[in-house]
Amino acid sequence: MIHSLKNYLFLGLLALPLLFLTCEAPAAQEEEAEKAPDIEAAIDSLMSQLTLEEKVRMIHASSSFTSGGVERLGIPELVMSDGPHGVRHEHGRDWAKDEGVRDSSTYLPVGTALAATWNTDLGYAFGSVLGSEANYRGKDIILGPGLNIIRSPLNGRNFEYLTEDPYLNARMTVGYVKGVQDQGVAACAKHFVANNLEYEREKVNVEMSDRALYEIYLPGFKAAVQEGGVYTVMAAYNKFRGDYCAHSEYLLDGILKTEFGFDGAVISDWNAVKNTMEAVNAGIDLEMGSDLPMLGSGNLDYGKFHMGDTLVTLVNNGTIDVALIDKKVRRLLRTMFRINAFGERQAGAYNTPAHQKIARQIADEAIVLLKNDGILPLEQSATKTLAVVGANATRKHAGAGGSSQVKAFYEVTPIAGLQNLLGENTAITYAEGYTVSREGGSNADLIAAAVAQVKDADAAIYVGGWIHGFSDEWNDNAYDAEATDKASMELPFGQDELIEALLAANPNTVIVLMGGGPIDMRKWQGKARSIIQAWYPGMEGGNALADILFGKLNPSGKLPMTFPVKLEDSPAHKLAVTGFESLEQNYTDGIFVGYRYFDTYNVEPAFAFGHGLSYTTFGYDDLTVSKEGKTVTVSLKVTNTGQRKGAEVVQVYVKDNEASMERPAKELKAFQKVKLEPGASQNVTLTLDEAAFSYYDDQQKKWVLEPGAFTIMVGSSSRDIRQEKGFTW
């Protein structure tokens, strides 16, 4: 295995192992189970040979993205890289970008886009690409997936995460983790837990009920551990009930390691450890990125970390028990053995056509058609002139956004995708329409030029929305980015005024929005005939978007979050006691996150959770619900009743008709993506276990399934329920 951060640069292209699109890897699981006793024996042997000083060296960083190794015993450094949708650029052992090195990556669609596919097979494929390229680049751990719940539209890092819903979060996570780790690289589920905004993320304290914690914020991490078998977990920056997450015995030792049974390594977020005694007594196993006074000097003494040389003195004088150190070292060694860090690891691959194809498949299924009043798809033969407007039509996004930045091998922009599809048969004009600048505001001259172009064109497409920042520089982050949050849901740079002018000039202008989440569309949503949510769709996104616009591809993406009409409708802002600029964040919205709030409190969203239109239509028939033992089986027939091949996401929601505790109007508990030819039908069968009907009781401190009447709701979104049937547990 390659452990140098430089050696990989001189290797030739390696062949890509076949990436089977399935979330199951039974052979790998059986092999790991068989190896477990041997691994523990090998750990025992190494532990008996390690000195105290060597043990301490292993539990803190040795450079910007490596842990300490022990050369005497052949214990390598653990080499890490940021993700979560591409392997980050190289910077050696420091923080400065390396120049002239071979470190471009497959730029995958972002987390919200992956979740918008509602396709767990693509979750596995996504992870496989990430793991393979991390492996090729000599990485042992890729820092992803990001599993924090999308609680507020303002969180700048929402684009890295997946969804507002804990069930969808869990299901997409399992495939991602298995995909990464089947490539011989450790995934790292982050950020544990409740890192739901970026404002003062290293100071903010989160208070929430146990019920909200267990029902909303923990299920993704639990699935990553118990179903995905994730090898590492990252502790978050924020405080939880007064304790830093990296110091929380309740979270790390109590819930994660004891209750969930996690036996891998807990890594701190970079600079998340703040105190020696609190960290060593809690479940943090590896301290990374602490803010040393000499940071940036080029001559860092990593022994000065909180879990550094001080621990040797504290063990020797009897202040702490060496057993605390041993537990941490064991977990790190266990991770090393699981990824075969002491032997030859399977070959990874570097930015292959197969990887690019998977990036394209994810983009194909991620793009969401929010609204369509008959103007899409566009007819290629009838489009001799096409006006494209908007700075995001030509802007590349891969290199910005903070730690998730990717040096993309290439990135097909929306206008490039249109040019690739239409070729010389269509004359494409482009107008910027607005300027990406800190000054913001609309520009009358740019608007006038854009209006002139769309007036007489056969078709017009606007591409706007959010950005990650003004440049690829770390300190230039804005809007959808690490270490920053949005000030509002309103589009920046005067885009609302521009869109209104375009729609007045040409009512058939198609509105395409890039970004990690919702915007306030009130000024023009009613006037727009067609709206598309394209997310940040990765290196092949422009090609996928063009094919959807012109009907070469039928859109099948579904929203993994609710788009509120306005910010004030979001439960994090409507129900929360404290504002988003408070260091004390009290999650008084409780379990009513996302659609759980909108559907229970009868608040109309702009676009509902699970919503996404198609160029065809689907019929739902013959719903049956049966219970046998502790399993409920839901069956129905889905038919493509339109004229085009398409895919539908069948969503199963559960309603508890009468409960002792308040419950949401409905909760997602199963889904399946079905691909059908025109006129074709498919019988869909989904099973629900006890967990689908249970709630967490704060008083009893346990999950409760209360016997009684339930309703099974099956539909195309949380607001588009097609069939219902009751049953009694």
Side-chain angles (χ1 to χ4, degrees), residues 245 376 390:
C245 289
L376 289 179

Side-chain angles (χ1 to χ4, degrees), residues 539-566:
M539 65 197 306
E540 282 287 332
N543 288 331
L545 177 62
D547 277 3
I548 284 174
L549 287 166
F550 280 89
K552 306 297 182 185
L553 181 68
N554 196 343
S556 65
K558 299 278 189 175
L559 289 181
M561 68 195 79
T562 306
F563 278 23
V565 172
K566 57 185 183 298

Side-chain angles (χ1 to χ4, degrees), residues 688-715:
L688 308 177
D689 60 14
E690 288 182 278
F693 305 94
S694 303
Y695 63 85
Y696 190 84
D697 188 319
D698 287 87
Q699 303 304 314
Q700 299 185 60
K701 302 296 183 186
K702 67 177 185 179
W703 289 92
V704 173
L705 197 170
E706 200 169 53
F710 292 86
T711 302
I712 300 296
M713 306 176 179
V714 184

Side-chain angles (χ1 to χ4, degrees), residues 411-643:
E411 182 177 350
V412 180
T413 63
I415 198 166
L418 290 165
Q419 290 166 339
N420 291 341
L421 174 65
L422 302 175
E424 297 179 356
N425 295 324
T426 301
I428 301 176
T429 62
Y430 172 67
E432 188 178 28
Y434 65 92
T435 302
V436 174
S437 68
R438 289 177 178 80
E439 285 71 36
S442 58
N443 182 302
D445 291 338
L446 292 179
I447 291 176
V451 165
Q453 289 200 10
V454 304
K455 270 184 177 178
D456 300 319
D458 293 332
I461 299 168
Y462 173 76
V463 188
W466 301 112
I467 58 171
H468 289 308
F470 300 103
S471 72
D472 291 353
E473 295 301 317
W474 178 268
N475 293 327
D476 226 8
N477 288 346
Y479 306 110
D480 280 332
E482 183 175 8
T484 188
D485 293 312
K486 301 181 183 74
S488 73
M489 278 175 53
E490 293 183 11
L491 280 172
F493 319 126
Q495 290 183 70
D496 283 332
E497 185 178 340
L498 171 61
I499 293 172
E500 287 185 282
L502 294 175
L503 291 172
N506 184 342
N508 290 336
T509 301
V510 178
I511 308 300
V512 177
L513 301 168
M514 312 287 283
I519 64 169
D520 188 327
M521 308 181 196
R522 284 178 292 172
K523 293 179 181 177
W524 47 263
Q525 181 182 334
K527 304 169 190 174
R529 296 188 62 191
S530 184
I531 306 172
I532 285 177
Q533 177 66 31
W535 315 107
Y536 298 107
M539 65 197 306
E540 282 287 332
N543 288 331
L545 177 62
D547 277 3
I548 284 174
L549 287 166
F550 280 89
K552 306 297 182 185
L553 181 68
N554 196 343
S556 65
K558 299 278 189 175
L559 289 181
M561 68 195 79
T562 306
F563 278 23
V565 172
K566 57 185 183 298
L567 180 63
E568 294 77 16
D569 290 343
S570 174
H573 301 268
K574 183 73 171 180
L575 301 179
V577 173
T578 51
F580 254 48
E581 292 188 357
S582 170
L583 293 181
E584 292 296 323
Q585 288 292 310
N586 194 335
Y587 286 23
T588 45
D589 45 325
I591 61 170
F592 293 102
V593 175
Y595 72 92
R596 284 168 165 77
Y597 165 75
F598 286 88
D599 292 357
T600 304
Y601 286 76
N602 296 313
V603 178
E604 190 69 24
F607 297 102
F609 173 80
H611 170 75
L613 302 177
S614 172
Y615 296 150
T616 190
T617 53
F618 297 93
Y620 288 56
D621 298 291
D622 303 335
L623 174 65
T624 63
V625 177
S626 61
K627 179 179 178 293
E628 184 173 346
K630 296 180 179 180
T631 300
V632 174
T633 301
V634 179
S635 299
L636 69 152
K637 182 174 73 173
V638 180
T639 304
N640 182 341
T641 55
Q643 303 301 311

Side-chain angles (χ1 to χ4, degrees), residues 145-168:
L147 301 183
N148 294 108
I149 288 292
I150 296 175
R151 177 174 174 258
S152 164
L154 299 186
N155 183 12
R157 218 164 172 182
N158 279 343
F159 72 96
E160 286 189 44
Y161 303 140
L162 295 167
T163 173
E164 70 186 22
D165 180 72
Y167 182 81
L168 179 60

Side-chain angles (χ1 to χ4, degrees), residues 325-402:
I325 312 297
D326 289 349
K327 287 179 182 178
K328 301 175 191 299
V329 174
R330 280 185 172 278
R331 287 174 175 272
L332 290 166
L333 287 172
R334 189 174 293 127
T335 300
M336 291 180 183
F337 278 107
R338 283 173 169 167
I339 62 172
N340 204 25
F342 298 97
E344 286 297 317
R345 194 152 70 194
Q346 65 192 76
Y350 179 78
N351 218 325
T352 65
H355 287 184
Q356 294 155 17
K357 183 178 180 181
I358 288 172
R360 172 62 192 271
Q361 289 173 328
I362 296 167
D364 285 350
E365 295 194 31
I367 293 171
V368 181
L369 180 59
L370 294 176
K371 181 178 181 180
N372 188 29
D373 186 13
I375 63 171
L376 289 179
L378 301 171
E379 291 187 28
Q380 186 171 345
S381 60
T383 307
K384 301 304 180 185
T385 57
L386 173 65
V388 179
V389 176
N392 268 348
T394 59
R395 189 177 183 86
K396 295 182 179 180
H397 299 277

